[in-house]
Amino acid sequence: MILLNFFLKKLIQEGTLHVIDVKGRTYSYRGTATPEVTIRLHDRWLPFKIFLKPDLRPGEAIMDGTLTIENGKTVFDFLNLVTKNMEWRRNNPMHFTGGDPYSRFKSWISQINPAGRSRQNVAHHYDLSGKLYDLFLDADRQYSCAYFRTPEDTLEQAQENKKSLIAAKLLLDKHHKVLDIGCGWGGLALHINQTSGAHVTGVTLSKEQYDLACKRAEDRSVSDMVQFKFQDYRSLTEKFDRVVSVGMFEHVGRRQYKTYFDKVYDSLTDDGVALIHTIGRADGPGSTDPWTLKYIFPGGYAPSLSEIAPIIEKSGLYITDMEVWRLHYADTLREWRLRTYKNRDAIVELYDERFFRMWDFYLSSAECAFRHLGHVVFQLQLAKRQDAVPLTREYLLQDTDIKQEIPPLEPPLKNVANQ
């Protein structure tokens, strides 16, 4: 405990953390009285492992059950306390944008993302059982940041808000051809067609998402207007009036940013408009933590604006509008986390206890990243021409509420969280 003790004394300035070692000895680290969390270590070597790799070993220990949270507290309570002390603020020496040199090198290597690896990375996460996603997402399976117009908005309403705002920024018309890069389970494509009449082509590298998206279009008798392809965006050759991409850019890989924005440019008609929605970093370039790379999003990376903007500048695209969403994703993840807790038994039955602890750590750590560690969401509106979009934002002040709600997935799925 000597090395870990030294580190925690430096780290904990807010809240109180109690650590019980394998022999039952308690070490207390007090900044302020609250919040207060107690953890127990069940492996005599765990303190040393955590000291050496604090961005990997705690998550693995929680998954394996060698680190437990005491007194009815949750994994989120523990991570919220720790990350509050690591928060992004000026002159905080405990805020880190990247891990050790070896971890940063591995993160850089993971950004080499040819088509074959992209397909493997997508399958690792998005081809999990659809039943899992039904247990914590909304009925439309929107697996990206929702937009909470008011604190009273439910997750379902906030996801509808998100789709409506994106549609408004795309300035859609029934004659438009729209490309949806990374279309997920098809919810946004169906929304765009339903509210504007536009023809939509969605591409994905997840076989599970592709199959269900196609079925949803068939069930609604719109397969002639909403089509999905199991295809890498880099192989597209058509032209589109609009391009939209939500929650996919994080999987592109830094070494492919030029390829990505060149493809957006080449895919747009001369008066076309694109909307790119991505997780980002307010605190500058960094690296994906080793735990997330290993267990959740291999090849994933949230970019800083300073990494994206220079590439866009050289692509020939104007940034015609930019919006930064801050705590919206933290609130979205909170809703997903609470639904995960309520459906714990079903998730354990679907997988096992270790998987549930992994998923809990994933959602909890992601929420903390948006609350304390400088993670945000960027929405970038892009165009080839300055006059492709209105010169003021007044068009966004119009009512963008959905006229008709898209039906839930068929058949209706039981969601304990909504009962």
Side-chain angles (χ1 to χ4, degrees), residues 167 172-176 178 191-200:
L172 295 164
D173 181 272
K174 65 180 180 180
H175 303 296
H176 284 156
V178 181
H191 171 86
I192 287 174
N193 169 257
Q194 185 176 32
T195 56
S196 71
H199 183 284
V200 188

Side-chain angles (χ1 to χ4, degrees), residues 145-170:
C145 181
Y147 188 69
F148 293 84
R149 287 180 176 174
T150 73
E152 291 73 35
D153 282 349
T154 63
L155 176 64
E156 285 72 19
Q157 182 59 58
Q159 291 291 11
E160 299 295 347
N161 296 344
K162 183 263 302 289
K163 289 180 287 188
S164 295
L165 181 57
I166 289 172
K169 290 183 177 182
L170 286 170

Side-chain angles (χ1 to χ4, degrees), residues 124-138:
H124 178 92
H125 190 92
Y126 296 98
D127 284 350
L128 293 170
S129 170
K131 294 179 181 178
L132 170 67
Y133 293 104
D134 291 324
L135 291 171
F136 74 96
L137 297 180
D138 64 302

